[in-house]
Amino acid sequence: MIEDTAEHGSPLTVLAEDETIFRESVREFADAQVRPLVREMDEHAKIPRALIDRLFELGVMGIEIPESYGGSGGTFFHAVLAVEELSRVDPSVGVLVDVQNTLVINALLRWGNDDIKRRYLPRLASNIVGAYALSEAGSGSDAFALTTRARDDGDGFTLTGRKLWITNANEADLFIVFATIDPEAGYRGITAFLVERGFPGFTVGKKEDKLGIRASSTCELILEECRVPRENVLGELGKGYKTAIETLNEGRIGIGAQMIGLAKGALEHAIVYTKARRQFGKAIADFQSVQHQLARAAVDVEAATLAVYNAARLREAGRPFLTEAAICKILSSEVAERVASLAVNLFGGNSFVKEYPVEKLYRDAKIGQIYEGTSNLQLQTIAKQILG
């Protein structure tokens, strides 16, 4: 069992004993099991099922699921640590675990009734991947402009519409799908439904060919008169907007963890390379200009880490964290892009070939400022909070 032993008043970056052990186990796994596959996964745009199975065995696909449902019985902060450590090696694997934990499982724990928890949590802890389907062609930043319709047919609902940009869609067997039961009601008609891959009328469509995090699947979902039983409504009818907003607030902390993991990985590569690369008779790390760039990157990474950990600890303590989640996401995503870009510069010509790892991290970093709320939306959230 993973125990919540974080000490009250301890520094943000000083972990409790169980957190340290957990982080080390994930780090060892990432280095031994994920790192050898990174280039192949990027080129083939696919995470092998065998690796996903090993993630389940490690216990990182059901971190907050109670032991009584077969999960690890951990905390939200444990999930943040897992995403960070995996993303240090491959942000694609990091986001697979992130969506599973901070969006899908988090939503079921918060909004699912006893029947839903009994039916789905043991499976999510042991062998099935989940996905979170909110976005549509005309519903991105304006999340509640969705047009997917749910028609009440007595015993259940019939869903019709299309979802786009759905992370984990290729691997998932369970989808949280947001649809409106009453278009005239605006956001108050939105409802969350649990849709299984095998439901009639449900299809996973086109897989996107992406710039970065290529191994992480991003697909469209097609719902054509998809029949969903009434017992698969997640939360209350017409209250899906609340499920979406509150889950995404926590999900942004997960993306923050992905981005600081990416930045730490890029900085580690840059330090190792600049110590080994020699020019003008000495290692390029001996040049003051290089040292200052690395030092500035270390400052940025530390600041972003503190922001992410602070938001995660606030959420775990049951304190308000809306502003802090927005701050950690925008800061960490900008830091990830800057540090990855610096690593590319310091690797010189070698950074432009796939034999070296930093070009991939540079491509992976860009998505951090886009998904789960663009940087402009984060700034708007922060502005609303500080201006009142």
Side-chain angles (χ1 to χ4, degrees):
M1 176 181 177
I2 301 172
E3 297 181 0
D4 181 10
T5 57
E7 297 179 8
H8 176 70
S10 63
L12 284 174
T13 54
V14 175
L15 305 182
E17 182 180 2
D18 70 293
E19 292 170 342
T20 301
I21 294 170
F22 177 74
R23 163 178 257 173
E24 289 305 314
S25 70
V26 178
R27 175 171 288 211
E28 289 173 8
F29 177 91
D31 285 332
Q33 302 291 326
V34 178
R35 196 178 295 281
L37 302 175
V38 170
R39 184 174 175 187
E40 177 186 352
M41 290 192 295
D42 184 64
E43 290 178 351
H44 294 284
K46 184 177 178 62
I47 299 175
R49 181 66 211 194
L51 177 58
I52 296 173
D53 289 341
R54 291 197 290 273
L55 289 166
F56 276 106
E57 292 168 6
L58 183 64
V60 296
M61 296 296 278
I63 294 172
E64 287 190 83
I65 294 177
E67 286 185 290
S68 58
Y69 290 110
S72 297
T75 66
F76 183 79
F77 196 80
H78 286 111
V80 164
L81 292 175
V83 173
E84 176 190 343
E85 288 301 327
L86 291 166
S87 300
R88 172 183 148 267
V89 174
D90 191 346
S92 292
V93 177
V95 79
L96 170 84
V97 171
D98 175 39
V99 169
Q100 177 87 352
N101 286 280
T102 71
L103 292 184
V104 177
I105 289 171
N106 182 34
L108 265 67
L109 287 171
R110 176 83 180 274
W111 305 100
N113 56 32
D114 289 342
D115 175 63
I116 282 175
K117 291 176 181 178
R118 176 186 55 78
R119 286 189 287 130
Y120 289 115
L121 289 181
R123 297 171 64 191
L124 285 164
S126 60
N127 59 15
I128 71 166
V129 175
Y132 188 88
L134 178 62
S135 297
E136 298 179 5
S139 170
S141 293
D142 185 7
F144 298 141
L146 55 81
T147 60
T148 298
R149 181 73 192 272
R151 187 182 72 250
D152 191 334
D153 56 15
D155 294 332
F157 293 84
T158 301
L159 273 58
T160 301
R162 289 187 178 230
K163 297 291 181 178
L164 290 180
W165 316 113
I166 308 306
T167 302
N168 288 0
N170 219 38
E171 298 82 14
D173 286 303
L174 180 66
F175 300 79
I176 300 177
V177 176
F178 292 86
T180 181
I181 57 173
D182 182 5
E184 300 301 318
Y187 71 91
R188 294 187 181 278
I190 295 170
T191 303
F193 299 87
L194 294 175
V195 179
E196 296 186 26
R197 179 179 284 266
F199 282 1
F202 177 80
T203 307
V204 176
K206 175 189 174 185
K207 180 182 176 185
E208 302 295 343
D209 188 8
K210 306 194 300 289
L211 168 73
I213 58 166
R214 291 177 51 77
S216 167
S217 67
T218 304
C219 309
E220 71 169 338
L221 306 180
I222 303 167
L223 299 107
E224 299 176 310
E225 298 288 303
C226 175
R227 182 70 166 65
V228 179
R230 187 169 293 273
E231 58 266 27
N232 275 34
V233 172
L234 180 63
E236 297 179 47
L237 291 173
K239 296 292 181 67
Y241 69 93
K242 192 173 176 64
T243 302
I245 289 173
E246 297 189 13
T247 304
L248 285 172
N249 288 338
E250 293 161 323
R252 284 164 189 155
I253 304 174
I255 297 303
Q258 181 198 28
M259 291 293 111
I260 61 171
L262 188 160
K264 289 177 181 181
L267 183 57
E268 289 170 8
H269 287 304
I271 290 170
V272 170
Y273 184 82
T274 56
K275 285 182 176 180
R277 173 69 169 168
R278 299 184 66 81
Q279 290 286 278
F280 306 103
K282 59 182 180 180
I284 61 174
D286 291 336
F287 291 99
Q288 188 182 63
S289 62
V290 172
Q291 293 173 355
H292 286 186
Q293 290 179 82
L294 291 171
R296 176 61 65 184
V299 170
D300 283 348
V301 170
E302 182 71 5
T305 299
L306 290 170
V308 172
Y309 285 14
N310 181 52
R313 293 294 195 197
L314 286 170
R315 186 272 185 191
E316 199 164 273
R319 303 287 297 275
F321 63 91
L322 173 63
T323 303
E324 289 78 9
I327 288 172
C328 87
K329 183 180 183 294
I330 191 169
L331 178 60
S332 63
S333 61
E334 291 177 351
V335 165
E337 185 176 42
R338 285 201 299 271
V339 175
S341 179
L342 172 64
V344 168
N345 290 343
L346 294 176
F347 269 67
N350 286 331
S351 70
F352 234 63
V353 296
K354 292 184 180 292
E355 182 181 350
Y356 292 85
V358 292
E359 66 86 26
K360 177 188 178 298
L361 292 176
Y362 184 55
R363 288 187 284 109
D364 289 348
K366 192 61 200 177
I367 191 61
Q369 296 179 49
I370 300 171
Y371 63 4
E372 290 199 35
T374 64
S375 292
N376 282 340
L377 279 180
Q378 304 314 310
L379 290 171
Q380 190 65 27
T381 296
I382 296 165
K384 285 181 180 178
Q385 296 300 308
I386 64 174
L387 293 173

